[in-house]
């Protein structure tokens, strides 16, 4: 299976430490973090994704707002620059240790700051990055057979 992620969630997963909007959102995100850490592939999508799913029926869910769509675009541009490849809707990739290291290093250096500028979680993510990402839940899969990039 693949985890469907929108653009800005490619950055969010770098600093996810188990906090979220609601208990159901957080439980779902923890399960997704486990799947990604086990080497499951990521399929980039437009709009609401597997992380958004528990929020879609909530009053005031922001998953479809234009500002979030803009954040997705900025995040995809940043991730593309960091990984030296175009990452767009339809891209499928997996995060091995090197990719996560490159993304986290760039995130800590502020290279994704434009995508996170208006995010309510930005200060938490900055603290996680400043702490060396020590408590993050998404880790690289250890099985080398799981680290291949998908086309």
């Amino acid at each position: 299976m693949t985890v469907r992620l929108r653009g800005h969630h490619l950055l969010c997963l770098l600093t996810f430490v188990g906090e979220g909007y609601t208990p159901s959102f957080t439980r779902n995100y923890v399960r997704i973090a486990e799947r990604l850490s086990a080497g499951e592939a990521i399929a980039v999508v437009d709009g609401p994704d597997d992380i958004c799913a528990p929020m879609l029926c909530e009053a005031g869910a922001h998953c479809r707002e234009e500002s979030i769509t803009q954040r997705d675009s900025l995040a995809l541009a940043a991730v593309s620059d960091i990984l030296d490849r175009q990452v767009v809707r339809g891209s499928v990739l997996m995060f091995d240790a090197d990719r996560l290291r490159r993304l986290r290093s760039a995130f800590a250096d502020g290279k994704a700051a434009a995508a996170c500028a208006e995010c309510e979680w930005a200060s938490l993510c900055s603290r996680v990055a400043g702490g060396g990402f020590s408590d993050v839940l998404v880790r690289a899969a250890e099985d080398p057979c799981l680290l291949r990039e998908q086309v």
Side-chain angles (χ1 to χ4, degrees), residues 7-11 70-80 112 114-115:
H8 80 269
H9 284 156
L10 294 172
L11 298 176
Q70 290 171 353
R71 187 174 299 151
D72 289 335
S73 295
L74 292 169
L76 288 175
V79 169
S80 294

Side-chain angles (χ1 to χ4, degrees), residues 3-4 12 21 23 27 30 32 48 51 55 57 59 83-84 93 96-97 103-104 111 117 121 126 131 144 147:
V3 175
R4 299 172 336 106
C12 297
Y21 297 105
R27 280 190 304 275
V30 167
I32 289 170
I51 291 173
M55 299 294 291
C57 294
L83 295 181
D84 295 321
L93 52 127
D96 61 18
L103 285 165
R104 286 186 170 130
K111 294 180 179 157
W121 297 96
S126 293
L147 303 180

Side-chain angles (χ1 to χ4, degrees), residues 8-123:
H8 80 269
H9 284 156
L10 294 172
L11 298 176
C12 297
L13 68 87
L14 299 174
T15 60
F16 179 63
V17 292
E19 295 187 35
Y21 297 105
T22 66
S24 64
F25 176 88
T26 304
R27 280 190 304 275
N28 180 59
Y29 205 149
V30 167
R31 283 191 296 271
I32 289 170
E34 291 168 350
R35 291 169 57 192
L36 293 173
S37 296
E40 199 160 325
I42 296 166
V44 178
V45 299
D46 285 335
D49 62 8
D50 292 341
I51 291 173
C52 298
M55 299 294 291
L56 295 176
C57 294
E58 302 270 335
H62 64 272
C63 304
R64 293 185 178 92
E65 292 177 4
E66 181 60 30
S67 63
I68 304 304
T69 301
Q70 290 171 353
R71 187 174 299 151
D72 289 335
S73 295
L74 292 169
L76 288 175
V79 169
S80 294
D81 287 344
I82 295 163
L83 295 181
D84 295 321
R85 67 168 278 206
Q86 190 172 17
V87 180
V88 296
R89 179 182 53 86
S91 295
V92 177
L93 52 127
M94 297 175 82
F95 287 143
D96 61 18
D98 180 63
R99 284 189 194 99
L100 282 174
R101 181 197 52 75
R102 288 171 53 200
L103 285 165
R104 286 186 170 130
S105 176
F107 185 91
D109 289 343
K111 294 180 179 157
C116 304
E118 301 298 319
C119 179
E120 68 187 272
W121 297 96
S123 62

